[in-house]
Structure formats: structure tokens, C-alpha cells
């Protein structure tokens, strides 16, 4: 855990699980909000992504010290479709937890946890006796990849559906839900008007206020082009979420996978690649990596701060 002191980020503490396991994958995903920090623990065979996860560990900041504060385990009744179990076993040799905790979002006393293998998003509430499951969102379609990523903002939750059918089959969509107490209803499904098969639209989603940014890291402009990727900005206008802008490098380098991961806050988006920056990308070394920082209201150039 790092803390900003003046203009310098300083390491404050290092967290470990109470019962460490060799190759345990602790730290496969993390999120922090105020005095609460969540840490995912992945299976050893495949960390993050599509992996099965054992638990989400909870830490609380008390008297300036981060201390263990519970553990959210895989629900005993989490059902995983047989076809998904067989696929997972072929890919990783494991299929126990349905991808529980591969991604999650912490927002105050609420936690949304991906259970992608079970095509579900699980909503938890913090109670006096710990975190308790309050709702389960199941894929409104019949696809794979539901809840690859999730993101709260206020009374809304954005949930990706990575392999859902949009305008064409298997391109991906994102579902916007709205809360009414502990009941969630589907408000709108966001799709690409010119989506293509395996765009991976929704591999990563993020939104803040009236801005929702959705990554499609395998997006390609032509049939013969490499998958340079792109992200899409949706804005809430007149009660609807409307696509207003495409975010992609002015000269996409080969195989850069722009927007493999995304985040947005206060009118600025960050797009992280899933591959190294090279080609036309500002002469970075092959292993340096980098991100695009995008002021969402700045039209020229389309992307600013190229690393």
C-alpha cells in the first residue's frame, strides 16, 4: 500500500494473507475505498483474467495500520454451467469457483464481485457482522463472459458481457443497472453500432458520473489489420447512454491492444495496453509498456499524454 506524502508516493505497508499458500496468487486484483481494502486470491495455474479465485480478503485501516478484517469466500451454492466447467478444466485444469473475484469493485459499504464462470455478478453489503450477499445479477442473455468487469457509480452498476451478441454475434455488450434499495433493474444495454465479432467490447468497463468508458482491446479497423484496440465513451444525455466518442491512438502501433484495461475519473480516462508500446508509439523500449491519458472533452488531438 502506497500513500501520497507531499508529491511523493511512499510505501506505507505490505499486506499478506493470514494463511499464505505457495503460488497462491494473492493480489491478483485489488481495490481500495477509504479505510477498506479488498485483495483477490487467484488459483496458482492462472492469475487474474479468467482464473478461478478462492476468496476476496478484506483489510481495514485502524489507528494507521492495515489489519485483516474478514474474508469473502466463494458461495457454496454458486452454480457454474457444465459447459463452462469443461472449458475451464481444459484451459487451466481447474473449475471450482466460477471465476469468483477475478474482478470486483468496492464502493463504500457495497461490493460487486464478478463470478464470470457462473455468468453472474454478486452484490455484497457491509453489515455489523461482516459482508453479506444482498443480490445476484444473472446474464440477461445466454452468453459467456458476463461480469468480466464491474464498476459502481452512485446508484448505478456497469457490468460487461464480453462475448454477448450486440449488433453482430460475439462482439460484446455492457449492461447498465440501477439500484432500488437492494433490488437492481436493467436500465440499458450499451452496444457498438458497428461492432465486429470478437471485438472484446466490455473486456474492461469504468464510469464516473455521466461518463462511461468501455474498452474493446481486440477491435480492428479492417479485416486484415492487427488488433490495435479502442475504447468508447458513452454519455448520459436526455435519460439515455449515447456513444459520443471513439478513443484510439492517432497512429495505432501493431498489436498494442489499446484499452485492455480502462479507468475514468473527473473527465479524464486512462487506457492501458495489453501489449508493449512499439511501432509508432514514441520510441519506448519493447518492454517499457505505457498508458494513454485522455482528456475526454479535448477533441484535438484525439488522445493526449501518450505514455
Amino acid at each position: 500500500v502506497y500513500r501520497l506524502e507531499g508529491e511523493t508516493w511512499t510505501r506505507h505497508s505490505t499486506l499478506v494473507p493470514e494463511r499464505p499458500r505457495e503460488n497462491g496468487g494473492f493480489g491478483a486484483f485489488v481495490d481500495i475505498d477509504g479505510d477498506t481494502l479488498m485483495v483477490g486470491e487467484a488459483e496458482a495455474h492462472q492469475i487474474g483474467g479468467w482464473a478461478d479465485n478462492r476468496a476476496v480478503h478484506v483489510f481495514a485501516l485502524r489507528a494507521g495500520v492495515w489489519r485483516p478484517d474478514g474474508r469473502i469466500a466463494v458461495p457454496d451454492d454458486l452454480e457454474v454451467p457444465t459447459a463452462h466447467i469443461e472449458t475451464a478444466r481444459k484451459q487451466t485444469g481447474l473449475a471450482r469457483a466460477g471465476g469468483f473475484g477475478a474482478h470486483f469493485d468496492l464502493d463504500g459499504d457495497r461490493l460487486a464481485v464478478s463470478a464470470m464462470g457462473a455468468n453472474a455478478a454478486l452484490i455484497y453489503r457491509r453489515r455489523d457482522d461482516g459482508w453479506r450477499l444482498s443480490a445476484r445479477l444473472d446474464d440477461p442473455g445466454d452468453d459467456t463472459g458476463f461480469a468480466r468487469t464491474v464498476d459502481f457509480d452512485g446508484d448505478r452498476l456497469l457490468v460487461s458481457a464480453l462475448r454477448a451478441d450486440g449488433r453482430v454475434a460475439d462482439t460484446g455488450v455492457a449492461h447498465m443497472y440501477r439500484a432500488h434499495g437492494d433490488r437492481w433493474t436493467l436500465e440499458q444495454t450499451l452496444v457498438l453500432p458497428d461492432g465486429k465479432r470478437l471485438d472484446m467490447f466490455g473486456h474492461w468497463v469504468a464510469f464516473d458520473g455521466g461518463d462511461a468508458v468501455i474498452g474493446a482491446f481486440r477491435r480492428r479497423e479492417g479485416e486484415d489489420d492487427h488488433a490495435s484496440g479502442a475504447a468508447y465513451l458513452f454519455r448520459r444525455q436526455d435519460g439515455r447512454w449515447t456513444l459520443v466518442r471513439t478513443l484510439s491512438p492517432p497512429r495505432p502501433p501493431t498489436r498494442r491492444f489499446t484499452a485492455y484495461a480502462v479507468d475514468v475519473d473527473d473527465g479524464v480516462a486512462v487506457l492501458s495496453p495489453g501489449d508493449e508500446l512499439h511501432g509508432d508509439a514514441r520510441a519506448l523500449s519493447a518492454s517499457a509498456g505505457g498508458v494513454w491519458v485522455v482528456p475526454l472533452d479535448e477533441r484535438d488531438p484525439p488522445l493526449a499524454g501518450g505514455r
Side-chain angles (χ1 to χ4, degrees), residues 120-307:
L122 307 179
I123 314 298
Y124 291 82
R125 282 273 194 178
R126 177 160 33 198
R127 311 294 186 188
D128 291 340
D129 58 348
W131 292 86
R132 296 290 176 258
L133 184 65
S134 65
R136 169 174 171 154
L137 305 180
D138 290 295
D139 187 358
D142 187 21
D143 309 290
T144 59
F146 179 76
R148 168 63 181 90
T149 51
V150 294
D151 195 23
F152 278 118
D153 189 75
D155 61 353
R156 288 182 170 89
L157 176 68
L158 186 58
V159 181
S160 69
L162 188 59
R163 302 292 296 273
D165 295 343
R167 300 297 188 199
V168 299
D170 210 16
T171 183
V173 304
H175 301 291
M176 186 69 76
Y177 290 86
R178 190 166 186 179
H180 306 273
D182 283 331
R183 184 174 61 89
W184 293 84
T185 58
L186 180 60
E187 181 179 67
Q188 187 178 339
T189 295
L190 312 184
V191 301
L192 282 181
D194 60 346
K196 302 175 183 178
R197 184 176 181 274
L198 295 180
D199 275 343
M200 297 296 177
F201 177 74
H203 183 265
W204 214 280
V205 299
F207 83 115
D208 177 58
D211 292 335
V213 176
I214 302 172
F217 78 96
R218 286 191 176 274
R219 175 71 171 183
R220 61 189 70 202
E221 292 307 316
E223 293 301 324
D224 297 329
D225 293 341
H226 291 285
S228 56
Y232 299 87
L233 171 62
F234 288 77
R235 279 198 166 143
R236 186 164 174 80
Q237 300 175 340
D238 299 324
R240 297 281 297 173
W241 292 91
T242 303
L243 177 62
V244 297
R245 189 176 170 201
T246 300
L247 312 177
S248 61
R251 295 181 301 278
T254 301
R255 284 180 50 78
R256 190 171 171 278
F257 291 164
T258 300
Y260 183 90
V262 302
D263 202 4
V264 61
D265 184 64
D266 197 23
V268 176
V270 176
L271 315 181
S272 173
D275 201 355
E276 299 86 2
L277 286 168
H278 55 282
D280 291 333
R282 300 192 132 206
L284 294 178
S285 68
S287 60
V291 300
W292 290 100
V293 180
V294 189
L296 295 180
D297 288 325
E298 188 172 305
R299 299 295 177 178
D300 186 21
L303 283 162
R307 61 175 170 180

Side-chain angles (χ1 to χ4, degrees), residues 2-10:
Y2 290 81
R3 175 176 291 172
L4 185 62
E5 299 177 354
E7 296 183 354
T8 303
W9 286 97
T10 303

